[in-house]
Amino acid sequence: MFPSDPLQAPLWTVMASLTHARRMLEVGCGHGYTATLMASAAGPDCRVDTIEEDPYHADLAEEAFEERGLSRRINVIRGRGQNILPRLRGYYDVMFLDGDWREYPLYLPHLRRLTRPGSVVVTANLSPLFGGWGGRLPGKPAIQSYLTRIVRDPHFRTYVVPGEWHSISVRV
């Protein structure tokens, strides 16, 4: 688990402003850094759901949310993204995929179902496809499949951010 780059913090203010976010979802909570940024950026009326498989990380994140007074606005859902996403209901204005990239292709039908026109999906951890992190990480075929499918999906317009190796997809 690697925390998000602090230089990316303003991204969440931009995403919240573009979408008038009232509901955000993160898949891959880690210690809760990005969920905290998302909730803070979107303001007091926004709720954030964050999915985390690792119980230790989920505990750390919940403690951090409590310390920052955000525990009423951020909900930690324990489990794997591929198991939790099918159970979620309603629309999210912003979704952030920052978990196990090998599961990303399994998320695609849920991305369509859980977003509305104007929603934004930010996808992290695309580096294995582009040789990042020394090119030693598994999952290149999964990332390639995910990116190919989301770029071709008529429900999304997608841009891959060079250097950061994130993608930003807008639901149309």
Side-chain angles (χ1 to χ4, degrees):
M1 191 243 1
F2 300 96
S4 296
D5 185 337
L7 294 175
Q8 294 175 0
L11 172 68
W12 302 112
T13 303
V14 170
M15 292 299 139
S17 297
L18 285 171
T19 63
H20 306 285
R22 292 292 169 256
R23 199 162 175 233
M24 301 171 100
L25 174 69
E26 174 186 42
V27 181
C29 178
H31 295 150
Y33 175 75
T34 303
T36 298
L37 290 174
M38 293 166 84
S40 299
D45 295 329
C46 182
R47 301 294 176 258
V48 176
D49 291 330
T50 183
I51 299 170
E52 179 54 53
E53 177 183 10
D54 186 303
Y56 179 67
H57 290 172
D59 289 344
L60 289 174
E62 286 177 336
E63 289 173 20
F65 303 149
E66 184 69 35
E67 288 173 11
R68 290 170 179 79
L70 294 169
S71 57
R72 290 184 185 197
R73 295 184 38 222
I74 303 174
N75 177 39
V76 177
I77 305 168
R78 294 166 185 257
R80 293 177 67 109
Q82 67 180 355
N83 298 330
I84 300 297
L85 287 172
R87 301 190 328 230
L88 297 178
R89 299 290 174 255
Y91 295 117
Y92 288 94
D93 302 301
V94 177
M95 296 177 72
F96 180 43
L97 307 184
D98 192 25
D100 185 344
W101 52 86
R102 293 169 292 188
E103 292 184 2
Y104 288 0
L106 302 173
Y107 298 170
L108 282 164
H110 306 294
L111 299 182
R112 287 189 293 271
R113 183 179 58 78
L114 294 169
T115 56
R116 56 163 177 76
S119 294
V120 174
V121 177
V122 177
T123 307
N125 298 330
L126 303 179
S127 293
L129 179 60
F130 301 103
W133 299 322
R136 296 182 308 262
L137 295 176
K140 184 176 178 176
I143 294 171
Q144 190 168 21
S145 170
Y146 170 80
L147 275 179
T148 299
R149 290 169 57 198
I150 200 163
V151 165
R152 292 180 179 167
D153 190 314
H155 296 98
F156 291 99
R157 299 295 178 265
T158 299
Y159 174 72
V160 177
V161 182
E164 290 299 320
W165 302 121
H166 283 50
S167 67
I168 299 173
S169 303
V170 177
R171 176 75 152 78
V172 294

